[in-house]
Amino acid sequence: MADRPITSWSVRELAHAVASAELSPVELAEAFLERAERAEPVVRAFAHLDPELVRRQAERAAAEVVAGRWRGPLHGVPIGVKDIVDTADMPTRYGSPVWPDIHPARDAAVVRRLREAGAVVFGKNTTQEFAVGIACAPTANPWDPRRVAGGSSGGSAAAVAARECAASVGSDTGGSIRIPAAFCGVVGLRPTGDRVPHDGVWPASPTLDRVGPIARTVDDTELLFRCLAGLPSTSDFPVPGLAGVRIGVVTDWLAESDDDVRDVVAEAIGLLERAGARLVEVTAPAMDLVGPAYRGVALHEVAAAHRAGAARGLLDHNPAILGAVAVGGGVDERALSAARNAVARIGRAWDALFTGHGLRLLLSPTVPFTACTPVDLPVLEMRAGSLTIPLSLSGLPVVSQPVGFANGLPVGVQWIGPRGADLELLAAARAYEGLTDWHTAEPPVG
């Protein structure tokens, strides 16, 4: 590790260095603060970053190490959180230019768990306003600052990719963890159901919202997921081989992707074949139900949250939320009931895809194109979630993982697992990661 800057070390490496007294939490904090000072003028991934607060947390963590009090697997490690997650010592702005700063009385449940594990809560990562959308301005993509980082957890993914923090906590409704993870070349997990608590996190769509980790490696993603979900941490990471594992490739989604994305994903599929995986071609089920289900549930819930603000003119600057209010506000009780029934049918259809083909995993592109420019975004925005929204409605756990580059921009794939099989899903993604080195690539920014 000595030949790499500290900010390029994995979360597990950093935590081990702190536990073994190889590094002090204060050294970690200063290294990441210096990195953020260089990268942040371009990336702009933080809505709030208070260096003195970071230093005070690091000093407390260092004093605990000296006293022999090791809190856990994140002790002294700088972790960001999305700016819709409550933090008692930092303001929460929800990505809004008009909403007044909120100073929560207490931390969100996930922040409490981070602190209990010893993490240094490094700052609040930018988000699309109220977690609706995929641009996440003013955040820029670390691989090409002319392009978007994705959203709404774009600040979290960009900060992790740019090595401004070791990992981050995001949220995903229709793809808000997975889309920026794919655009920025990092790993992001949308967990099953309520594995990670939502208390103290702004509810964009309570039915579909999930809180999850964003990190540079699958190993780090699992480490953070275990912390957020309140699961026991492990000192080792079991990595089964992929030989003989039946993996369904969602071929219609592959065909819908741009040529450059399809070529990269095809190379990843070839690598799986060489590793001995048994690939099965499948088609995404219940796609005719996706539009009505998403409009009837997600947009209805967004509309309910913002109807009053829209009526007062507080959201006139935000066409995405106004559009959601207009569409979702027209959903009556009968349509809402039908939409919820459609969500249940979508979940059963995806479950049947696993059982009907004897599959352990499914694989598809995360986004059918690479990170675009803000100018191109209005044309592409609806398409950006075309492969993530159906899986949000399915209720299955999904992890996005980088598998290569197209024209210098990251390409991600979605690994999809059976309901509740989050850890098994991560183990498979980690096995694939062990065959590649895409996760070690560093963007040029900073």
Side-chain angles (χ1 to χ4, degrees):
M1 295 187 293
D3 59 336
R4 293 181 286 133
I6 291 172
T7 52
S8 293
W9 294 14
S10 72
V11 172
R12 193 178 293 278
E13 289 170 339
L14 293 171
H16 177 75
V18 169
S20 62
E22 179 185 350
L23 286 174
S24 161
V26 174
E27 292 178 273
L28 300 192
E30 291 299 337
F32 280 96
L33 285 170
E34 181 184 354
R35 174 65 184 171
E37 185 178 8
R38 295 200 313 272
E40 193 58 11
V42 176
V43 181
R44 292 168 290 182
F46 282 92
H48 182 87
L49 177 55
D50 181 346
E52 292 310 310
L53 177 59
V54 171
R55 290 184 177 108
R56 288 197 297 272
Q57 292 181 77
E59 287 165 359
R60 285 196 298 272
E64 289 171 340
V65 171
V66 172
R69 185 185 175 199
W70 187 66
R71 283 185 172 269
L74 301 177
H75 196 113
V77 179
I79 307 291
V81 294
K82 185 176 180 176
D83 192 28
I84 61 166
V85 180
D86 283 348
T87 42
D89 52 1
M90 287 176 262
T92 303
R93 299 187 175 97
Y94 311 108
S96 177
V98 297
W99 199 267
D101 289 1
I102 302 297
H103 294 273
R106 55 184 293 185
D107 288 330
V110 289
V111 175
R112 291 197 300 273
R113 287 180 174 176
L114 287 176
R115 297 193 200 277
E116 288 165 2
V120 170
V121 181
F122 195 70
K124 306 298 283 290
N125 293 124
T126 56
T127 177
Q128 193 93 355
E129 187 173 22
F130 297 111
V132 177
I134 69 158
C136 203
T139 301
N141 193 304
W143 293 95
D144 182 350
R146 298 168 298 179
R147 299 175 185 270
V148 300
S152 61
S153 304
S156 294
V160 172
R163 278 53 176 172
E164 296 184 69
C165 56
S168 185
V169 176
S171 69
D172 187 306
T173 303
S176 290
I177 285 175
R178 290 162 288 157
I179 293 170
F183 280 179
C184 294
V186 293
V187 181
L189 171 69
R190 175 187 169 88
T192 299
D194 295 324
R195 296 292 295 270
V196 177
H198 299 186
D199 300 354
V201 180
W202 172 267
S205 169
T207 298
L208 298 182
D209 292 345
R210 302 291 182 267
V211 179
I214 296 176
R216 293 202 307 274
T217 70
V218 180
D219 188 11
D220 286 352
T221 302
E222 194 217 11
L223 191 64
L224 191 54
F225 169 65
R226 285 180 174 275
C227 169
L228 300 178
L231 300 173
S233 63
T234 55
S235 58
D236 61 335
F237 190 96
V239 183
L242 293 168
V245 175
R246 287 177 63 85
I247 300 172
V249 178
V250 188
T251 53
D252 49 331
W253 287 1
L254 190 59
E256 293 168 14
S257 300
D258 287 358
D259 290 347
D260 54 356
V261 170
R262 189 163 58 246
D263 290 345
V264 171
V265 177
E267 291 179 9
I269 291 170
L271 183 57
L272 287 171
E273 289 181 313
R274 292 192 294 276
R278 298 176 63 188
L279 302 183
V280 180
E281 293 187 355
V282 299
T283 301
M287 289 298 290
D288 59 315
L289 300 176
V290 169
Y294 194 73
R295 286 192 298 271
V297 174
L299 298 189
H300 171 78
E301 292 178 345
V302 170
H306 295 290
R307 188 176 295 114
R312 293 167 56 197
L314 297 178
L315 295 166
D316 287 351
H317 62 283
N318 192 320
I321 294 181
L322 290 179
V325 169
V327 175
V331 177
D332 58 21
E333 285 299 320
R334 182 177 178 181
L336 179 60
S337 177
R340 288 175 173 161
N341 181 57
V343 171
R345 290 172 61 191
I346 290 169
R348 290 194 295 270
W350 281 91
D351 289 342
L353 194 63
F354 279 93
T355 57
H357 292 275
L359 302 175
R360 291 270 300 280
L361 301 161
L362 290 163
L363 185 75
S364 85
T366 305
V367 188
F369 55 89
T370 54
C372 61
T373 67
V375 173
D376 295 329
L377 190 61
V379 177
L380 295 171
E381 187 160 10
M382 294 300 294
R383 190 174 172 225
S386 61
L387 313 185
T388 56
I389 288 173
L391 295 170
S392 294
L393 294 166
S394 78
L396 301 176
V398 191
V399 61
S400 180
Q401 174 182 33
V403 293
F405 290 83
N407 301 313
L409 296 171
V411 173
V413 297
Q414 295 181 110
W415 290 94
I416 307 144
R419 198 173 307 278
D422 303 62
L423 292 174
E424 294 84 348
L425 174 67
L426 288 164
R430 178 66 181 90
Y432 176 84
E433 186 176 77
L435 303 175
T436 76
D437 59 1
W438 300 118
H439 56 286
T440 67
E442 298 200 16
V445 71

